């Protein structure tokens, strides 16, 4: 099923540079600044500054019981960029672009693929959470880069017969598994797909693709050698549709996870794309970021030239010819399903936007095939129309990404203001390191509007005790803060925070100007608490029922 000539090293480099320009530019709208989110503070500052020696910290965290390579690199490598995290983002963006171009080269060779695949893979705003947020991209994107390199080498081995390429391919595939469980499944499925597609040419050698299945026992055998910890509880556990969990699986677990997959994978992308473009265009006009707009226009023009050259060359010069769209569409569906399948069995039923990054590689292959198939129906100039479609999609996606970055920026600004106010208050009041604190009127997001509110997209550190406490320790520059818990009734919250209100030593109320007022709790019965200030004035009432309701006086 060989469809196209291999990309030469020069073509690979040219493609990489063009699309790296796009992928990096969308993160630089506000300059060379990264906007820290949620557990970034913990993983890229606190561990390195307060955790002690690496091996001691690794044992305490159970670091090697799940995603061992990503956890180790957080402390040993990525934390070194804490002072200028945007450099780390650009490095990961380079890895993401390398992965995308490598897969493009593979799919183009095997099934036929065009630039639209790269545009959707790298620029679709839906992947922002998985490719920008460091705590996600250091797992998913880095693992994907190793998986893509493994796939590229596997195809090269299949065509050259050089055994060292097969050995290195398997090694890189195994390394990719150490970053994220989803990558483990995706990489194995990818190699099996390539083996099946190449079978007519390489005959029995295609059976070597089955070797990728060994990644499962090797990975799970390795992590089983290390003790578990609360940090990674549920990261490698399974929920199976038989035995004692059968009834729960079909009655509760499966409807929950499939509903999330449907929303994140089907409903949210279209809504997010429409709203992100609308809001992004507004920000472009209001901000007047001329340099960014000029850079985007230059890249779009370069993409047009790239596509025009690709589709207008003479036969034998890497020209794109009308191709059957069935096989790449089928391959895309297969990869999307494979990358989603782990979450049907992992015992933590949580499917976030970042988890769509790998399935959308399959979706990108499918969309690219559909666009090329439709353009092939246009006589004479179908290739140029296909190139124009890619340019238009890139423009829409890039504008949409502006609004995503805008929301991350405002979230970080709000987090910073709240965290600094809390740290100053705790230092002013001489709060001890052993005191457990609750802060009323903290919401999980202070954004007035965003493209799509779903799970952690886009939350501030004020959503949870672990994220808030982690940020406070980073801003304070020490770890002498036991626990600070946000309590609000504006939106659904972590109910466990309300299960034992008597466990908190101190309560504060966040005022509209972000200052904090100490308040005293009073239990009124029937799940009702009132809070008064030092003068005895009623400041807030918290009603704990099916949903918490907090009224601030």
């Amino acid at each position: 099923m060989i469809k196209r000539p291999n990309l030469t090293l020069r073509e690979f480099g040219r493609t990489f540079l063009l699309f790296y320009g796009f992928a990096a530019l969308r993160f630089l709208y506000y300059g060379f600044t990264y906007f820290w989110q949620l557990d970034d503070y913990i993983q890229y500052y606190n561990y390195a500054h307060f955790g002690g020696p690496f091996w001691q910290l690794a044992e305490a965290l159970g670091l090697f019981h799940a995603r061992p390579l990503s956890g180790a690199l957080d402390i040993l490598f990525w934390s070194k960029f804490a002072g200028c995290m945007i450099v780390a983002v650009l490095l990961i963006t380079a890895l993401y672009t390398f992965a995308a171009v490598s897969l493009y080269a593979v799919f183009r060779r095997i099934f036929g693929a065009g630039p639209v695949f790269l545009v959707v893979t790298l620029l679709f705003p839906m992947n922002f959470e998985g490719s920008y947020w460091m705590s996600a991209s250091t797992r998913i994107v880095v693992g994907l880069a190793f998986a893509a390199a493994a796939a590229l080498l596997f195809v090269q081995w299949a065509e050259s017969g050089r055994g060292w390429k097969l050995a290195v391919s398997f090694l890189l595939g195994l390394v990719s598994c150490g970053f994220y469980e989803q990558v483990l499944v995706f990489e194995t499925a990818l190699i099996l797909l390539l083996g099946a597609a190449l079978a007519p040419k390489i005959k029995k050698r295609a059976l070597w693709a089955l070797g990728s299945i060994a990644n499962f026992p090797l990975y799970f055998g390795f992590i089983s050698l290390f003790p578990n910890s609360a940090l990674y509880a549920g990261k490698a556990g399974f929920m199976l549709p038989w035995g004692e969990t059968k009834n729960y699986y079909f009655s509760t677990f499966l409807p929950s996870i499939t509903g999330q997959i449907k929303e994140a994978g089907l409903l949210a992308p279209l809504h997010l794309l429409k709203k992100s473009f609308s809001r992004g265009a507004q920000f472009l006009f209001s901000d007047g970021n001329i340099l960014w707009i000029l850079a985007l226009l230059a890249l779009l023009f370069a993409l047009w030239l790239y596509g025009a050259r690709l589709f207008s060359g003479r036969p034998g010069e890497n020209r794109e010819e009308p191709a059957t769209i069935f096989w790449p569409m089928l391959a895309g569906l297969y990869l999307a399903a494979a990358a989603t399948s782990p979450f049907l069995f992992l015992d933590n039923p949580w499917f976030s936007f970042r988890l769509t990054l790998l399935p959308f590689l399959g979706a990108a292959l499918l969309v690219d095939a559909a666009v090329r198939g439709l353009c092939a129906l246009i006589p004479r100039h179908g290739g140029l129309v296909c190139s124009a479609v890619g340019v238009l999609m890139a423009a829409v996606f890039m504008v949409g990404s502006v609004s995503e970055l805008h929301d991350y920026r405002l979230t970080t600004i709000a987090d910073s203001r709240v965290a600094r106010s809390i740290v100053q208050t705790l230092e002013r009041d001489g709060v001890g390191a052993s005191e457990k604190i609750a802060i009323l009127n903290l919401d999980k997001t202070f954004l007035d509007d965003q493209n799509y509110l779903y799970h952690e997209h886009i939350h501030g550190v004020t959503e949870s005790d672990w994220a808030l406490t982690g940020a406070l320790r980073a801003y304070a520059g020490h770890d002498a803060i036991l626990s600070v818990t946000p309590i609000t009734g504006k939106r659904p919250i972590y109910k466990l925070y309300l299960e034992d209100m008597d466990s908190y030593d101190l309560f504060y109320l966040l005022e509209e100007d972000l200052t904090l007022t100490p308040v005293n709790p009073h239990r009124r019965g029937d799940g009702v608490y009132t809070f008064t200030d030092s003068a005895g004035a009623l400041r807030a009432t918290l009603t704990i029922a099916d949903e918490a309701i907090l009224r601030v006086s």
Side-chain angles (χ1 to χ4, degrees), residues 2-48:
I2 303 299
K3 294 295 183 182
R4 301 288 182 272
N6 281 315
L7 281 183
T8 66
L9 184 61
R10 182 177 181 181
E11 290 168 333
F12 190 101
R14 183 164 53 236
T15 304
F16 173 87
L17 290 175
L18 172 60
F19 283 94
Y20 180 71
F22 276 108
L25 183 65
R26 68 180 190 151
F27 297 149
L28 298 176
Y29 182 78
Y30 294 104
F32 287 87
T33 302
Y34 172 69
F35 303 110
W36 292 57
Q37 305 292 313
L38 295 173
D39 40 357
D40 286 344
Y41 298 96
I42 301 171
Q43 293 173 165
Y44 307 116
Y45 187 87
N46 295 354
Y47 285 162

Side-chain angles (χ1 to χ4, degrees), residues 420-438:
R420 293 180 190 279
S421 178
I422 294 174
V423 168
Q424 292 172 3
T425 300
L426 298 183
E427 292 176 349
R428 179 199 68 194
D429 294 351
V431 175
S434 62
E435 293 179 288
K436 187 177 179 181
I437 303 159

Side-chain angles (χ1 to χ4, degrees), residues 271-301:
H271 180 91
L272 184 143
L273 178 60
K274 177 182 177 181
K275 189 170 182 180
S276 67
F277 177 76
S278 174
R279 296 178 68 230
Q282 293 176 19
F283 297 141
L284 278 176
F285 283 116
S286 61
D287 296 341
N289 194 335
I290 301 299
L291 287 178
W292 193 90
I293 294 174
L294 290 175
L296 175 60
L297 291 175
L299 286 170
L300 292 173
F301 180 67

Side-chain angles (χ1 to χ4, degrees), residues 17-337:
L17 290 175
L18 172 60
F19 283 94
Y20 180 71
F22 276 108
L25 183 65
R26 68 180 190 151
F27 297 149
L28 298 176
Y29 182 78
Y30 294 104
F32 287 87
T33 302
Y34 172 69
F35 303 110
W36 292 57
Q37 305 292 313
L38 295 173
D39 40 357
D40 286 344
Y41 298 96
I42 301 171
Q43 293 173 165
Y44 307 116
Y45 187 87
N46 295 354
Y47 285 162
H49 287 78
F50 314 135
F54 170 75
W55 290 108
Q56 176 182 323
L57 179 60
E59 182 178 1
L61 296 175
L63 203 64
F64 296 113
H65 190 75
R67 308 168 189 172
L69 293 180
S70 59
L73 288 178
D74 282 345
I75 300 168
L76 298 175
F77 184 70
W78 298 117
S79 65
K80 307 301 182 184
F81 297 94
C84 190
M85 193 60 84
I86 189 63
V87 175
V89 172
L90 295 177
L91 285 175
I92 289 179
T93 303
L95 290 176
Y96 191 24
T97 308
F98 166 79
V101 176
S102 296
L103 292 176
Y104 167 66
V106 168
F107 295 150
R108 182 175 180 270
R109 176 69 169 155
I110 305 299
F111 304 111
V116 167
F117 169 79
L118 290 166
V119 170
V120 176
T121 294
L122 290 168
L123 307 182
F124 191 51
M126 189 73 182
N127 72 26
F128 216 90
E129 181 174 300
S131 60
Y132 177 75
W133 179 22
M134 281 292 295
S135 292
S137 62
T138 52
R139 284 134 178 79
I140 303 172
V141 171
V142 178
L144 173 63
F146 281 98
L152 187 61
L153 281 172
F154 183 84
V155 172
Q156 291 178 355
W157 160 78
E159 298 185 339
S160 69
R162 297 177 181 176
W164 70 267
K165 290 191 174 184
L166 177 64
V168 175
S169 172
F170 281 151
L171 178 61
L172 292 176
L174 182 59
V175 170
S176 74
C177 303
F179 289 92
Y180 211 61
E181 298 84 2
Q182 188 185 24
V183 177
L184 164 62
V185 177
F186 177 82
E187 192 275 340
T188 303
L190 176 61
I191 297 297
L192 291 175
L193 172 68
L194 297 178
L198 290 166
K201 178 181 179 180
I202 64 177
K203 310 298 182 183
K204 292 183 179 181
R205 284 192 298 158
L207 294 175
W208 279 102
L210 296 174
S212 62
I213 299 175
N215 289 339
F216 285 87
L218 289 173
Y219 172 74
F220 287 106
F222 176 81
I223 65 173
S224 68
L225 299 176
F226 300 91
N228 197 357
S229 75
L231 177 65
Y232 289 121
K235 299 299 184 184
F238 294 96
M239 177 62 61
L240 302 175
W242 56 75
E244 296 180 355
T245 59
K246 178 180 179 180
N247 291 336
Y248 173 79
Y249 181 89
F250 287 103
S251 65
T252 304
F253 177 87
L254 188 61
S256 173
I257 192 63
T258 53
Q260 294 175 60
I261 292 172
K262 177 182 177 181
E263 181 172 3
L266 298 176
L267 303 180
L270 295 178
H271 180 91
L272 184 143
L273 178 60
K274 177 182 177 181
K275 189 170 182 180
S276 67
F277 177 76
S278 174
R279 296 178 68 230
Q282 293 176 19
F283 297 141
L284 278 176
F285 283 116
S286 61
D287 296 341
N289 194 335
I290 301 299
L291 287 178
W292 193 90
I293 294 174
L294 290 175
L296 175 60
L297 291 175
L299 286 170
L300 292 173
F301 180 67
L303 178 58
W304 164 256
L305 294 178
Y306 177 91
R309 179 180 180 275
L310 186 66
F311 286 103
S312 61
R314 294 189 301 274
E317 291 186 346
N318 279 342
R319 176 187 176 189
E320 282 288 340
E321 303 286 354
T324 302
I325 66 172
F326 174 76
W327 289 112
M329 293 185 75
L330 183 62
L333 289 172
Y334 162 78
L335 289 175

Side-chain angles (χ1 to χ4, degrees), residues 439-444 486-491 493 542 548 550:
I439 299 182
L440 306 175
N441 205 30
L442 272 181
D443 204 357
K444 64 183 180 182
I487 294 179
T488 180
K490 293 181 180 179
R491 293 182 175 89
I493 62 174
L542 176 66
L550 177 68

